[in-house]
Amino acid sequence: MEALRITVCVLTVIMTFLTLLPLSKNQRWWVRVWDFPRLQMASLCLLFLLTELFILPFGGPIATITVVLTVACMLYQSWWILPYTRLYPFQVKKTPPNGHSRIKIINSNVLTTNRKADKLLSLIQKNKPDIVVLLETDQWWEDQMSPLEPDYPHSLRCPLDNLYGMHVYSRLPLHDAQIQFLVADDIPSMHFRAELASGEQVVMHCLHPMPPSPTEADESTDRDGELIAVGHTAAKATYPTIVTGDLNDVAWSRTTRLFMKVSGLLDPRRGRGMYNTFHASYPFLRWPLDHVFHSKHFTLIDLHRLEFMGSDHFPIMVELALTPQEGNDQESLEIDEEDIEEAQEKMDTAGVKSTDVHRAERFNESAFGF
């Protein structure tokens, strides 16, 4: 029993350290990775707490400190994920499907080595989105998606063998379509205006930045810089805007919150659930990496995580109604001077290519004439 008590106390100290670690602005992957498993860590804290209450002597100083640390960690981890539970108010209003201009999008990281393209085609056929955004696509995946071409005659294609290929297929006409490389010469992003059946146009930014990990990027610098740069561009648009993709960051992280503050965009998951999309094969190790953010011009018709299609990510589907008057009073996250300074620092550190950022800003200006 004594050995078990010591083990629990040591594990509590380790959990406390890992809880505090992401408070640092250090961009190294082994720091930033602890932004991800907050749900798992909160669950472990609850398990620790139940164990401590059962095995530790009541009222002892070490027992008291251990229990207090465990409760503090559990509450702190829960605070981050609370907006993505049903205990929190909706950020985006729900709208009935009839009578509005709308757009339906499927976003899917296909996993380059996945060979179950037929499952993805079946999902697309079943759900009939207006726009399909595919990530990690190489030439093999482009060839397999050729059956989409009759129904999706408009496309942007960038097949790559480095896990960062990207394809967009659209029923809707695309205008001013661009493939950009904001922070690295081999990591594309896609930007365009989609014309709805009503003739109204919507700006879309499709992203897949590199994650901080021991096998890819040692730091989160490039990922953070790309997200903030696109958020900066989105904030300049006064017309409907959508940002989607595998952002390789969780919805509740400091960087994603900063992106939402800078851009003014909304997250339809807030108050509805986490919609964890990765890792598809490990239920206990899942978090929301695939995102759809949008401006206040939209309200929500439908949001679903789709079924398994062979990838390590689940696809996510969202249908939005273009309802500017109804959505105008939806509240975005507030930004302050400290946020502005941090955002600029992230873009400077990442060395975001100024020509591309300026081109993106001109893209918004040319699209909407302001």
Side-chain angles (χ1 to χ4, degrees):
M1 180 65 77
E2 187 63 26
L4 180 58
R5 290 172 178 170
I6 293 172
T7 299
V8 169
C9 290
V10 170
L11 290 175
T12 299
V13 171
I14 293 173
M15 180 66 74
T16 303
F17 173 73
L18 296 179
T19 297
L20 294 174
L21 194 58
L23 290 174
S24 165
K25 291 187 178 181
N26 190 311
Q27 302 300 301
R28 302 290 292 180
W29 72 267
W30 51 269
V31 175
R32 298 275 55 94
V33 72
W34 298 106
D35 286 323
F36 288 60
R38 294 196 184 276
L39 172 61
Q40 290 79 4
M41 293 175 75
S43 301
L44 286 174
C45 285
L46 177 59
L47 179 61
F48 287 179
L49 179 61
L50 295 175
T51 304
E52 289 161 4
L53 294 175
F54 181 72
I55 68 171
L56 295 180
F58 181 76
I62 293 179
T64 301
I65 292 172
T66 301
V67 169
V68 167
L69 286 176
T70 302
V71 171
C73 289
M74 182 174 65
L75 292 176
Y76 180 74
Q77 298 288 4
S78 300
W79 177 83
W80 283 94
I81 62 177
L82 178 63
Y84 296 90
T85 69
R86 299 195 177 189
L87 300 175
Y88 207 78
F90 295 157
Q91 187 179 42
V92 177
K93 295 178 181 179
K94 192 75 183 288
T95 295
N98 299 323
H100 303 290
S101 297
R102 48 180 156 166
I103 184 169
K104 183 188 286 190
I105 301 163
I106 284 181
N107 174 83
S108 179
N109 182 322
V110 302
L111 183 63
T112 301
T113 56
N114 174 23
R115 290 298 178 257
K116 297 179 180 178
D118 56 325
K119 288 193 173 184
L120 178 59
L121 289 169
S122 178
L123 280 178
I124 295 171
Q125 177 61 32
K126 175 183 175 182
N127 291 284
K128 301 187 185 315
D130 299 303
I131 294 178
V132 180
V133 180
L134 303 181
L135 312 168
E136 283 201 30
T137 43
D138 56 7
Q139 188 59 53
W140 184 89
W141 272 97
E142 180 174 309
D143 295 341
Q144 300 306 304
M145 292 298 104
S146 59
L148 294 178
E149 293 173 5
D151 290 330
Y152 295 84
H154 311 283
S155 64
L156 267 178
R157 310 181 187 205
C158 186
L160 294 172
D161 295 325
N162 63 354
L163 306 182
Y164 291 96
M166 185 180 294
H167 286 69
V168 169
Y169 297 92
S170 177
R171 297 180 187 272
L172 308 174
L174 304 181
H175 303 283
D176 288 346
Q178 303 171 7
I179 299 174
Q180 296 183 9
F181 298 83
L182 288 176
V183 296
D185 293 336
D186 57 352
I187 299 181
S189 56
M190 293 183 173
H191 313 265
F192 52 86
R193 286 177 293 126
E195 183 178 335
L196 306 184
S198 62
E200 297 161 297
Q201 296 187 3
V202 173
V203 169
M204 283 191 62
H205 304 282
C206 306
L207 309 177
H208 185 205
M210 183 180 293
S213 79
T215 58
E216 297 196 59
D218 290 336
E219 298 184 351
S220 66
T221 304
D222 284 357
R223 179 201 67 184
D224 296 355
E226 182 171 352
L227 293 182
I228 300 306
V230 171
H232 183 265
T233 298
K236 290 181 173 291
T238 58
Y239 277 59
T241 300
I242 296 171
V243 175
T244 188
D246 171 7
L247 303 190
N248 276 314
D249 195 18
V250 284
W252 48 74
S253 80
R254 183 186 181 97
T255 298
T256 297
R257 284 172 58 87
L258 183 60
F259 161 80
M260 291 181 67
K261 291 178 178 182
V262 169
S263 66
L265 300 183
L266 310 177
D267 187 344
R269 293 167 298 187
R270 290 172 72 94
R272 292 187 168 88
M274 297 180 186
Y275 295 86
N276 295 327
T277 55
F278 176 91
H279 192 290
S281 299
Y282 306 115
F284 185 70
L285 291 175
R286 284 183 184 164
W287 33 75
L289 293 190
D290 300 271
H291 307 258
V292 180
F293 299 100
H294 60 80
S295 60
K296 294 181 181 180
H297 301 85
F298 297 100
T299 50
L300 181 68
I301 295 175
D302 193 21
L303 176 65
H304 271 96
R305 188 185 73 182
L306 301 180
E307 54 262 38
F308 179 71
M309 40 69 68
S311 174
D312 51 354
H313 290 245
F314 292 102
I316 193 163
M317 181 180 71
V318 64
E319 186 172 10
L320 301 172
L322 186 56
T323 54
Q325 291 184 335
E326 183 179 343
N328 190 51
D329 61 350
Q330 298 174 130
E331 294 186 5
S332 56
L333 301 186
E334 293 185 4
I335 189 168
D336 57 29
E337 287 297 325
E338 184 179 348
D339 295 325
I340 294 171
E341 292 175 5
E342 183 178 357
Q344 187 60 55
E345 179 183 346
K346 284 184 178 295
M347 286 196 292
D348 292 343
T349 303
V352 177
K353 299 175 183 177
S354 60
T355 54
D356 282 340
V357 175
H358 293 159
R359 186 176 2 150
E361 291 175 3
R362 290 198 302 274
F363 165 75
N364 277 326
E365 292 168 3
S366 66
F368 306 124
F370 61 89

